[in-house]
Amino acid sequence: LHTAYRRQRQMCIRDRANVIQKISEQGVQIIAAVGNEGPASPPLFPAAYPSTIAVTAVDNNHAIYRWANQGNYVDFAASGVSVEVAHPDGTTSRETGTSMATPFVSARYACLFRASSNPAQALVTLRDQAIDAGAPGRDPVFGVGILH
């Protein structure tokens, strides 16, 4: 039973990777949160797929969110700690996590893509706009850097 489950899981992962790749080949950029399982967590998907822009979270002082996953697949960091969010009932609350940072990067990428109509150029400009943090250059904590 364990072997069957493992084989089924591997097939699902492979299928998901193929779908992500096909979407990417059609010019659609996937942007995903890296996850909140902690720095020692294995990579989570779809963020860890090479064609995905993987986003982590920082606080207002540019400190990494303590539960954010880390790894060589992290591309960008953005504000994701104590972010004010709207609820359907008309109230707001503060939420924290890499999923709170991802909409900011998605919106920035969308604006850049709209201006250039070129996904590669939008990504280059996004990288140029990132502020380096952590170890010099790209690193597994902040990726290319922080976007404001």
Side-chain angles (χ1 to χ4, degrees):
L1 184 63
H2 180 68
T3 304
Y5 171 76
R6 183 184 234 156
R7 188 173 30 249
Q8 180 71 20
R9 185 170 169 0
Q10 289 171 341
M11 285 174 36
C12 287
I13 290 170
R14 228 181 358 260
D15 290 346
R16 191 176 335 145
N18 289 336
V19 168
I20 297 290
Q21 184 59 39
K22 286 180 182 172
I23 289 170
S24 178
E25 288 169 0
Q26 293 174 9
V28 176
Q29 180 61 65
I30 300 209
I31 301 172
V34 299
N36 306 310
E37 300 297 320
S41 172
L44 295 181
F45 296 88
Y49 289 124
S51 61
T52 300
I53 294 176
V55 181
T56 192
V58 294
D59 65 18
N60 289 334
N61 296 315
H62 298 166
I64 195 72
Y65 171 50
R66 69 185 183 124
W67 290 109
N69 289 19
Q70 297 178 14
N72 292 331
Y73 60 97
V74 175
D75 292 304
F76 296 99
S79 181
V81 176
S82 193
V83 175
E84 189 168 10
V85 297
H87 287 275
D89 66 4
T91 63
T92 62
S93 68
R94 296 214 168 259
E95 303 289 338
T96 295
T98 59
S99 292
M100 298 296 105
T102 304
F104 179 83
V105 176
S106 297
R108 176 71 65 90
Y109 176 86
C111 290
L112 294 171
F113 176 72
R114 184 172 185 215
S116 69
S117 298
N118 182 321
Q121 182 58 49
L123 187 54
V124 166
T125 304
L126 201 63
R127 287 180 181 141
D128 290 344
Q129 293 177 351
I131 298 168
D132 195 17
R138 186 183 181 115
D139 65 70
V141 178
F142 299 95
V144 176
I146 301 171
L147 292 168
H148 291 280

